[in-house]
Amino acid sequence: MTNSQLTYRRLLGALMALSLGLGGGVIGCDEGFPDFNEVEGFRVLALRADPPAIVPGETTTLQALVYFEGNVLPPPDYSGDAGTDGGFEQDPDDPVDAGVDPDMGAADDEAPAPPTYRWTWCPFRLPISEGGDCYYEDEAAFRQALGDLVVLPEDLSFDLGSGPTAELDFVLPALLLEVLCDPIETSSPSLAGLFGLECNGGFPLSVELQTEYDGQTISVLKDVFLQPSPEADYNTENPTLIDEVSYKLVEDQNDFGQTDIVEEGALPLTKDGTVELELGESYGLWMNLEDDSAQLFTPLPTEPVPNPEPRRETLFVTWFVTSGDTQYRRTTRLDGKNDPALIRENVWNLPLKMDEDAEEAQLFLVLRDERGGQDWLSRKVRLVR
Amino acid sequence: MTKRSLLVVGLCCGFLIGSSAWAQEAPAQGAPEAPPAQGAPEAPKDAAPESPPADEAPKPPAADAPPPSPPSDPAPAEESPGQASPDAAAPDGEAPAEPPPITKLPKAVSLQEGEFPQKAIDDGIEQTEVVLTIDIDAQGQVEGVGVQTPSPHPGYGFEDAAVAAAYGFMFEPAMAGETPVPVRVVYTFKFFMKPAVPEEPAPGEAEQEPPPPDPVVNMQGEMVVRGTRAPIPGIVITLFRGDPKNPDAAYEATTDKDGKFQFYDLEPGVWNVLAESKGFFPYRTSEKIVEGKLTDVKYYMEKGGYDGYVQIVEGVRERKEVNRTSLQVAEIEKIPGTAGDILQVVQNLPGVARPPFPGLIIVRGSAPEDTQTVLEGMTIPLIYHFGGIRSVIPNPMLKGIDFYPGNFSAQYGRATGGIVDVRLKKLQPERPGGQIDISILDSLLYLETPLGDNAALAISGRRSYLDFLIDAVASQQDDVNVIAAPRYYDAQLNLQYRPAPGHDLRLFGLLSDDLLRLLFSNPGDGTTQLEGNDFNNTTSFYRGIADYVYTPSENFSNTLRVSYGLDQTKVNFGQFFFELDQTVLQVRDTVSIGLGDSVRWNVGIDEQYTVASFDVFLPPPPKEGQNSPDGGDGPPDLTNVLSTTVEDQSRHSLGLFTEVEIKLFEDLLLIPGVRYDWFSLVDAHRVSPRFTGRYVATEQWVVKGGVGLFYQEPQPDETDVTFGNPDLGPEGAVHYSAGFEYRPLDYLTLDVTGFYKTLFDLVSPPASRDVGTPFDLVGLAQSPAATDLDVEAILGDLASDGIPGQQLTNTGIGRVYGAEILLRHDLANNFTGWLSYTLMRSERRDRQGAEWRLFDFDQTHILTLLGTYRLPRNWEVGLRWRLVSGNPTTLALGSKQRTNEDDFQPVNGPTNADRVPAFHQLDVRVDKTWIYNSWKFGVYLDVQNIYNRENPQAISYNFNYLLSEYSQTLPILPILGLRGEY
């Protein structure tokens, strides 16, 4: 084996593994574990910052979509009204247990307590492979590291509270972020980029949510983008899902590969949970996006692409289900590179047998863009034989 | 008209009696048939004693001994071993012991005619026979002759004449295994009337009796090997009529160097044809001779066994190294589990770990990039298509490979692990020929031809058709549009020319091209980090290598090799890409001078000049000990991406080497040597002294050892200013090894070697805790230049100092120790194979103060048992069984979820602190070849993992790393292939 070959191999290793992983996922070569989008137990399905990027003086609100034993926080609006059902329509000061959907099984005295939350932020972290802890044990250590470089506010705290939502201010001085995010030279990466932090959308400040339920703790990291300048041309917003889902029974299913589905004749999957789907059947699903969900933005210049062209964000929809599985765990819209309709459709394969205590199943659609924006919606259906 | 009768002596064959009995049944499988046993006299039940009675051994006549007859070979072909006779005498009066079985019968080298007694001629006796017992000693000399059955015509002296003639016989001795042994044979001596010799015409009588007419050739032909059409020289072809034991008439002719033969003045009619030779099945047919017409024939004689491909035997190279394993193509290409790829056979040798992918060669605990695979000393960029599917040079182009697991010669450099030197075949085709090989992966066409007397040409080409197969399957899956997947081809040209003795020229060309293109309609199903949906991988290169070897005498030789080529690689997946375009020129010259009988001096230069341009936008490749897709320790993190663009970067790698081979007392070979390397990319000079010694204690025992220093420059990406550290220096290693070889039989060798290796200056990544963050630049910021937060100053200093986060250093060290055992059975007795076992431990320490940890591919036990056996009728069966410790692995202790990327990343435990279970697998291969007159056709079935063992390869996890199971290697995998050879 020549050195050239090994170098070439190592450089390509990540890409080849990823491509093989993609192929494996597509053709169903999973190892036998429950799939990523098959929801059970305790999961955090999404964590949204609204807005996903802030400028000095702004505050963003953080909220997670948490699933636990059939319940969801914030509680979905299964009233039947149209409109986005995220937690932002809820009062964040409400008690957590008050948000439990009464239709999804009310808590009894023996049921575990609802999930608890702890929110923190950290300017820099160790690699996750080594624990992902913050470099600085506390704020004092951070101040000491900065020295005279930047004066931090007196009341600066990494702690963001323990409510179901949290508020994050523009915690770092704008001057420091300029140092970190400005390209060192024209067409070269920024200082943060050299340290593995992408400033494409602002400085990525790491927020961590630790949520605990029934003795199990889940740690979720989210980058919130701090934009030193309000005039930055890479403003980002959360994408928007139209709260419409339709479905149709798949009659001619291809067992081998992709099942082709046609939207014509699809029926609305209403929010009130009255739609009945038959066990053992497959249903085509369709969702809708606002036309401007994928924002137009100009990526930061890099060495190989010193003058990038403006383009639209890439969008992803994760199709979480509490029963059965889906043809794709995620669907994609790559601006100009794939069929835009592909992101809208999927196939839900329902199980042959019903779970003992689950006559209903839930569907969660989480929409993400490539710059930290998120939105979600949910549906509930009845399963019948 | 002159009477033409016959006199043939020694027409009949013999029986073994005495110490061993003749095997009368059919020949052993795989060996040629015995001559016809029907009609041959039976050996007496009460076998004669070893030494014939003195009164049965009349002295040969001295004065009237008949003249020697032309060489004839009536001796039987090799036979099955006979059974030992129970009454064989034991030497030195000891208790009788069973004599060893006879494995080869005596073969007549020269025979004598017996003189036909004049009195019998006068009385009109035309033929008779005498049965003799002949004692042949271990040298093939006739020790004694006795008359077992006298002639039915007593009193004419036939017995005396037969005995006298038999004393003039010469034989190749009988063999019991490898030992010549004395035997007694029964021999039927036949007398026929000699043709009447025309008397010299008296002067003046010529007009009355004209001279006989010139002989007229009325049958001629050619004898060739069936399947390969190679001529068979020196074989005796017998034409006879009537009973083969007692023919009415018989003639013999011997083929010339071109396999041609002639008979003349044959009487019209049907003649039986018989040809026999060792290593061939007897050939029998009949021909009708028509008066006045020439019968022209071509006979195809089938060999007892066929090699995979004919190799030129160039003699055994003297062993000089501590460890060198040479493998020949014909010997190993049918080893199971290697898909006929001889380079993959290296992975079954001692000291070589079982790799996770077939293209990696992991030698004595060194990283794959520490071992160089070269083509007769010249580097080539890729040995395998797609990193391991198939080697880029097909077997018919190759002679074999030499594998050096350590302590290699100063002639080799740029490697701290081992060397695999691929050797091209020396072309000596006698006629145009070729080969077609069709397998499930690809098809190969190979052609070779002589060009006059002093030159030869071989060309070959191969193309895969996986793309056709995958297209057929993938067409049903709209998720993955296979635009071109995966396709490879290669082509080779080998032109050899010997304009004069001592001058050898060779031109070798190699072209290789790999292509894979995929289009994912829904890439987000796997990751949210892609900004594109296409995967493209094109890799191509070519090399032209010119050789000139000048050998005016055995005391001087000069080998000059010049190589030039272009390498191109373009790969991208979404927004990530890697493009390389480089030109390589290599010049290598080696002079070898004999200084007397016991000293030889080798000196040479090895310069490699490269001009490369590359453009990269990728995550930093993982280093050894870090999470890697190879190890299955986690998915690649695509959030940290680096880019670099370099135009026309030139670099030299200059090596100068010298070594002296000193032979002392005939038995001791000492080779001190030294190599100098200059690595221009890191501007480093290194001197590497090396020493090996071999002491031949006896014909069977050799003691050996070596110590040496080895260097290699960092990988190209490691010295890049973005991906690595341009201030890195070369990596180094010290090899120690000692052992012995024991050769109890010519074809059996036991090689035991212990080794210890220290590695130093290994390129290692910094610990994460040591990685600087921007805020760690506080010291810089507090400098006078930055008191006012001079951003430009900070960034300028940063740019000039490199990037702390990617700062690789030469702080790694390593140690490897263990022992290897190789018991090898060379190709003999229809069997070849070996048993290899390695006990080893390989450890690394990434930096000062860090803990020692296991090397990524540390395998404590590596046991390989493999062999192939040739069965009759061109069947071959091979098996390979491996038992190997599992690779070290890093366990995931948990994970953190990244919501923007919608994935989970593992939190790892201590590096390589755990190990996957052991691996064992049995592979079986069956080959069958059908031999036709002008070509051969073969079918093989290679079944890997025949007992379908679920071998753990690595640990795989569910999406959030809370559940785990072992990912498996391939289940039972049958591969069918076809091969035609012309």
Side-chain angles (χ1 to χ4, degrees), chain B residues 112-134:
Chain B
Q112 296 263 6
E113 290 184 359
E115 186 175 5
F116 209 100
Q118 186 60 45
K119 184 167 181 281
I121 298 173
D122 296 341
D123 290 352
I125 298 172
E126 293 191 345
Q127 64 178 26
T128 188
E129 63 182 34
V130 178
V131 179
L132 303 175
T133 58
I134 305 176

Side-chain angles (χ1 to χ4, degrees), chain B residues 108-446:
Chain B
V109 175
S110 68
L111 301 174
Q112 296 263 6
E113 290 184 359
E115 186 175 5
F116 209 100
Q118 186 60 45
K119 184 167 181 281
I121 298 173
D122 296 341
D123 290 352
I125 298 172
E126 293 191 345
Q127 64 178 26
T128 188
E129 63 182 34
V130 178
V131 179
L132 303 175
T133 58
I134 305 176
D135 292 280
I136 305 167
D137 66 12
Q139 285 73 45
Q141 303 276 1
V142 175
E143 279 189 333
V145 181
V147 177
Q148 180 171 302
T149 305
S151 165
H153 304 285
Y156 287 99
F158 282 111
E159 294 78 8
D160 291 345
V163 168
Y167 268 106
F169 289 3
M170 283 293 298
F171 292 87
E172 287 180 9
M175 303 293 289
E178 299 298 313
T179 308
V181 293
V183 293
R184 170 172 290 178
V185 298
V186 175
Y187 198 93
T188 302
F189 202 109
K190 296 192 173 182
F191 289 83
F192 296 91
M193 180 70 78
K194 264 189 172 180
V197 178
E199 295 179 359
E200 284 288 324
E205 293 179 357
E207 293 181 0
Q208 288 84 17
E209 292 190 29
D214 290 337
V216 176
V217 175
N218 54 358
M219 179 178 173
Q220 66 181 19
E222 181 182 4
M223 180 66 84
V224 297
V225 178
R226 194 168 187 227
T228 68
R229 295 163 291 121
I232 310 175
I235 194 168
V236 175
I237 299 170
T238 305
L239 264 60
F240 64 94
R241 280 176 162 169
D243 183 357
K245 178 189 168 190
N246 191 13
D248 299 332
Y251 290 101
E252 287 182 348
T254 303
T255 56
D256 63 13
K257 66 181 178 59
D258 297 320
K260 303 282 180 60
F261 61 88
Q262 290 182 332
F263 287 94
Y264 54 90
D265 291 348
L266 291 174
E267 294 179 2
V270 176
W271 289 83
N272 296 313
V273 180
L274 172 66
E276 292 178 302
S277 182
K278 181 180 179 182
F280 289 88
F281 289 99
Y283 186 87
R284 297 187 184 90
T285 186
S286 61
E287 299 290 349
K288 185 175 182 180
I289 303 299
V290 179
E291 187 164 12
K293 288 189 175 179
L294 172 65
T295 300
D296 198 349
V297 297
K298 188 169 187 177
Y299 295 145
Y300 297 89
M301 204 164 175
E302 186 169 345
K303 292 173 69 176
Y306 286 77
D307 290 339
Y309 209 80
V310 176
Q311 296 294 305
I312 307 298
V313 177
E314 298 176 33
V316 178
R317 287 160 55 207
E318 183 185 10
R319 292 181 65 88
K320 300 171 183 175
E321 304 80 7
V322 181
N323 288 101
R324 184 196 76 205
T325 303
S326 296
L327 301 172
Q328 310 298 315
V329 169
E331 188 178 11
I332 59 179
E333 70 171 350
K334 293 179 179 174
I335 287 177
T338 61
D341 192 327
I342 68 164
L343 292 177
Q344 293 191 22
V345 176
V346 173
Q347 294 164 351
N348 299 290
L349 295 174
V352 184
R354 187 185 71 86
F357 298 106
L360 300 179
I361 299 177
I362 304 160
V363 179
R364 284 185 182 169
S366 286
E369 59 266 31
D370 297 344
T371 294
Q372 284 267 0
T373 300
V374 294
L375 180 64
E376 299 191 344
M378 311 300 279
T379 59
I380 55 177
L382 293 172
I383 294 297
Y384 291 102
H385 293 290
F386 289 110
I389 292 180
R390 182 76 87 182
S391 59
V392 297
I393 307 175
N395 288 353
M397 279 283 177
L398 299 178
K399 173 190 173 190
I401 51 176
D402 291 335
F403 171 58
Y404 306 88
N407 283 107
F408 42 84
S409 160
Q411 299 186 32
Y412 294 105
R414 308 183 185 102
T416 58
I419 296 290
V420 178
D421 199 346
V422 181
R423 300 207 168 268
L424 294 171
K425 187 171 71 176
K426 184 173 184 180
L427 298 177
Q428 292 183 348
E430 295 175 347
R431 78 207 69 80
Q435 176 178 329
I436 296 175
D437 200 332
I438 301 171
S439 76
I440 196 169
L441 294 176
D442 52 35
S443 286
L444 165 74
L445 173 64
Y446 171 83

Side-chain angles (χ1 to χ4, degrees), chain B residues 659-670:
Chain B
E659 63 184 11
V660 183
E661 302 171 14
I662 306 167
K663 265 196 172 173
L664 299 175
F665 319 115
E666 294 288 326
D667 301 325
L668 179 62
L669 176 63
L670 304 175

